[in-house]
Amino acid sequence: MSISADSTTHESVAAENAVPEPTPEEAAQLEQLYQDFEAGNLIPLWTEIADLMPMVPSPKAVPYVWRWNDLYPLAARAGDLVPVGRGGERRAIALANPGLAGTPYATPTLWAAIQYLGAHETAPEHRHSQNAFRFVVEGEGVWTVVNGDPVAMRRGDFLLTPGWNFHGHHNDTDQPMAWIDGLDIPFVHYADAGFFEFGTERVTDEATPDVSRSERLWAHPGLRPLSGLQDTVNSPIAAYRWEHTDAPCANNCFSRTRATRPRCPRATPPCVTPTRPPAGTSCPPSAPNSTACGPALPPRPCAKSVPVSGRSSKDAAPWC
């Protein structure tokens, strides 16, 4: 018999393969069998398979959007009222999916939160078996110190804090800062694999370098250092910078398929930011190579004319 997952359930298959009703003697023996199962802390699969192995998933989490403009004011109020330090460890407010019955989880496998650190505050060091990432929505001025390596946190950056690495955060400015944390807390909780250890009250290195030691060693595309090559279970790069993502994405000729690419610019290409522009500056459309966005780049040569699907050969033109 063929079984179609979209129209069949465990119950319907069981009904199609129903066995005769047990005799009174067999029913008494079955009753005793189930009592003996219970006494021995045993549960038969045939009574639980529909819940343990459903035909299709039945997720409880629901789509939901948390707006930054709603989150930040609440986090700022917490910053005025709730201290950061030992006990709570972090001033972090979790995103609780309304479909997950009051648990502090954004999804069944992700704990996510907005974390707020006031001016000149320090979140003390600790470590745990849960892995973490941080995404900076706005602002700068906080350094996260991971195993003694200060890593700058700036708008658009994506930072990694692997499990069981000591880490703390310190704000070196007169302004507060907030960001989004994500940890695999639900997964570790379900696996009963949680460990936690306190570290120092202050971060172990209060330096504020623009580039962390891990980035100086590892964050050079196409190059591999000759030292520091010990085996690790995680990426040795602590931060993936927004400017490194934004620069190639800003050049549309490299971000689209050939059939949808724009024609190669005849003058200068769009502004590509090799380094983070000063705060408050932008690249105006009328001046694509504004010095605010970095030095002007020479025009790139176009490839030889090629026909493009959906275009006649007479319309063929140089494409990037």
Side-chain angles (χ1 to χ4, degrees):
M1 178 182 68
S2 63
I3 297 177
S4 174
D6 60 354
S7 61
T8 305
T9 65
H10 290 288
E11 292 79 3
S12 64
V13 172
E16 292 178 11
N17 295 272
V19 296
E21 287 292 325
T23 65
E25 182 180 356
E26 291 172 336
Q29 292 175 348
L30 280 172
E31 178 66 24
Q32 184 61 53
L33 178 63
Y34 287 124
Q35 291 178 7
D36 292 342
F37 283 161
E38 184 176 359
N41 294 306
L42 301 170
I43 299 176
L45 174 63
W46 58 86
T47 64
E48 304 290 327
I49 191 170
D51 291 329
L52 296 177
M53 301 178 180
M55 307 300 289
V56 295
S58 54
K60 295 181 175 61
V62 298
Y64 193 83
V65 176
W66 291 270
R67 303 288 182 188
W68 183 256
N69 289 341
D70 297 328
L71 293 175
Y72 188 86
L74 291 170
R77 287 168 57 189
D80 293 335
L81 299 171
V82 181
V84 63
R86 290 298 182 221
E89 291 293 300
R90 301 289 188 261
R91 190 186 291 113
I93 304 105
L95 313 182
N97 190 292
L100 296 180
T103 58
Y105 302 148
T107 75
T109 57
L110 175 68
W111 180 92
I114 178 173
Q115 183 171 166
Y116 184 95
L117 198 62
H120 299 288
E121 281 190 328
T122 295
E125 290 198 352
H126 62 215
R127 65 177 177 176
H128 40 70
S129 51
Q130 294 85 353
N131 299 285
F133 71 78
R134 315 191 193 285
F135 180 74
V136 185
V137 177
E138 64 180 14
E140 60 181 74
V142 168
W143 274 256
T144 181
V145 181
V146 182
N147 274 353
D149 187 9
V151 184
M153 299 176 64
R154 297 187 287 261
R155 178 182 179 273
D157 290 348
F158 181 82
L159 301 98
L160 298 179
T161 305
W164 212 238
N165 282 247
F166 277 112
H167 58 282
H169 319 301
H170 72 106
N171 188 339
D172 195 55
T173 72
D174 296 327
Q175 300 297 323
M177 182 176 163
W179 60 91
I180 294 295
D181 283 337
L183 285 82
D184 56 355
I185 290 176
F187 180 82
V188 173
H189 176 74
Y190 294 145
D192 198 13
F195 292 88
F196 185 96
E197 183 178 343
F198 292 114
T200 58
E201 294 289 334
R202 305 289 298 180
V203 292
T204 51
D205 190 338
E206 294 187 344
T208 57
D210 285 337
V211 182
S212 65
R213 290 192 291 274
S214 67
E215 291 172 277
R216 290 201 301 268
L217 186 62
W218 287 98
H220 303 282
L223 300 178
R224 180 179 174 85
L226 296 178
S227 61
L229 298 180
Q230 65 273 17
D231 291 336
T232 62
V233 296
N234 52 263
S235 169
I237 302 175
Y240 293 82
R241 300 297 180 187
W242 173 245
E243 61 260 31
H244 300 157
T245 303
D246 186 50
C249 289
N251 190 341
N252 290 334
C253 281
F254 288 111
S255 62
R256 303 182 186 180
T257 61
R258 172 173 290 177
T260 60
R261 289 174 187 166
R263 296 174 185 271
C264 276
R266 297 300 182 185
T268 52
C271 168
V272 176
T273 311
T275 57
R276 185 167 52 91
T281 62
S282 61
C283 183
S286 59
N289 278 279
S290 167
T291 55
C293 292
L297 301 177
R300 290 180 293 103
C302 288
K304 186 177 180 180
S305 298
V306 293
V308 179
S309 176
R311 295 162 54 92
S312 65
S313 58
K314 69 178 182 178
D315 292 329
W319 293 80
C320 303

